[in-house]
Amino acid sequence: GNSVTQMEGPVTLSEEAFLTINCTYTATGYPSLFWYVQYPGEGLQLLLKATKADDKGSNKGFEATYRKETTSFHLEKGSVQVSDSAVYFCALKAGGGADGLTFGKGTHLIIQP
Amino acid sequence: DAGVIQSPRHEVTEMGQEVTLRCKPISGHDYLFWYRQTMMRGLELLIYFNNNVPIDDSGMPEDRFSAKMPNASFSTLKIQPSEPRDSAVYFCASSLSSGNNSPLHFGNGTRLTVT
């Protein structure tokens, strides 16, 4: 079956540090890949996506590249801010059905000033 | 656009009581999803609807759980009777279509505590 594995948190960094949150996946076919972010007390919001191999998704300074050879979609940001503190979810969508969205367990990111 | 609206934000109830969670999707969205979030299991898809019709309820944990969508602008998730292990945050989400360019839009969730 399909699955997403994320690095466990919490991840604690200082402001302006470089961020990497690892994500690897297992899926049949050629899935689309997503990062969602959940701020405290809120629902998940789409952060970025990539729909085919070697695509790079980017938004708000975050980037992730779809690596088919390593089945990975690591999230990166060059300089984090306190406002980036949130829980980040990697997800995949395999096939055309709406039920194909599979989430990882989430990584809690804490940015200290 | 007001986004996906869920109510209540918090619900505290005693074991054995009936609980009803409510969701109003974004207008025009054809898909509606109910998810449950816990520390142990993360996000789990419970059920989803397309054009008000339940498509896949294989994620519904037990017969105590039921979901309805009587019209395009309203859905409910009911737990009867509730148990302490049902304590979680329940999210409703909607999307315009099933395509990859149609992301899920989540509500702010209902935090359920069953004592």
Side-chain angles (χ1 to χ4, degrees), chain B residues 28-47:
Chain B
H29 281 194
D30 290 337
Y31 286 82
L32 183 140
F33 305 80
W34 282 101
Y35 282 88
R36 179 171 67 177
Q37 185 181 38
T38 61
M39 290 291 291
M40 290 296 294
R41 293 185 297 271
L43 270 168
E44 302 172 280
L45 176 65
L46 301 178
I47 184 172

Side-chain angles (χ1 to χ4, degrees), chain B residues 14-111:
Chain B
E14 292 183 348
M15 183 173 66
Q17 296 299 305
E18 178 180 295
V19 175
T20 300
L21 312 181
R22 296 173 175 80
C23 175
K24 176 178 167 53
I26 293 173
S27 177
H29 281 194
D30 290 337
Y31 286 82
L32 183 140
F33 305 80
W34 282 101
Y35 282 88
R36 179 171 67 177
Q37 185 181 38
T38 61
M39 290 291 291
M40 290 296 294
R41 293 185 297 271
L43 270 168
E44 302 172 280
L45 176 65
L46 301 178
I47 184 172
Y48 79 93
F49 296 82
N50 177 212
N51 291 323
N52 314 337
V53 176
I55 303 301
D56 185 355
D57 65 354
S58 59
M60 297 286 260
E62 300 170 34
D63 291 345
R64 299 183 296 106
F65 286 69
S66 63
K68 294 182 180 179
M69 192 166 185
N71 58 62
S73 59
F74 184 65
S75 177
T76 59
L77 177 68
K78 185 177 293 186
I79 308 172
Q80 165 63 19
S82 58
E83 297 183 3
R85 60 194 168 116
D86 301 331
S87 298
V89 181
Y90 290 82
F91 287 102
C92 177
S94 68
S95 68
L96 192 60
S97 72
S98 63
N100 291 332
N101 288 322
S102 184
L104 297 186
H105 295 260
F106 283 79
N108 286 338
T110 295
R111 181 175 294 277

Side-chain angles (χ1 to χ4, degrees), chain A residues 69-89:
Chain A
E69 63 276 14
T70 54
T71 61
S72 65
F73 193 54
H74 304 322
L75 183 68
E76 296 181 336
K77 186 174 185 181
S79 177
V80 292
Q81 305 300 314
V82 172
S83 58
D84 294 326
S85 299
V87 181
Y88 292 81
F89 292 87

Side-chain angles (χ1 to χ4, degrees), chain A residues 31-72:
Chain A
S32 294
L33 302 173
F34 306 82
W35 277 100
Y36 280 78
V37 58
Q38 184 181 28
Y39 298 104
E42 298 183 10
L44 281 70
Q45 304 171 26
L46 178 66
L47 180 60
L48 54 84
K49 68 179 181 183
T51 58
K52 61 182 187 296
D54 299 325
D55 268 3
K56 178 186 284 188
S58 61
N59 186 25
K60 298 181 181 179
F62 291 89
E63 292 182 341
T65 301
Y66 188 146
R67 301 286 188 200
K68 183 167 176 285
E69 63 276 14
T70 54
T71 61
S72 65

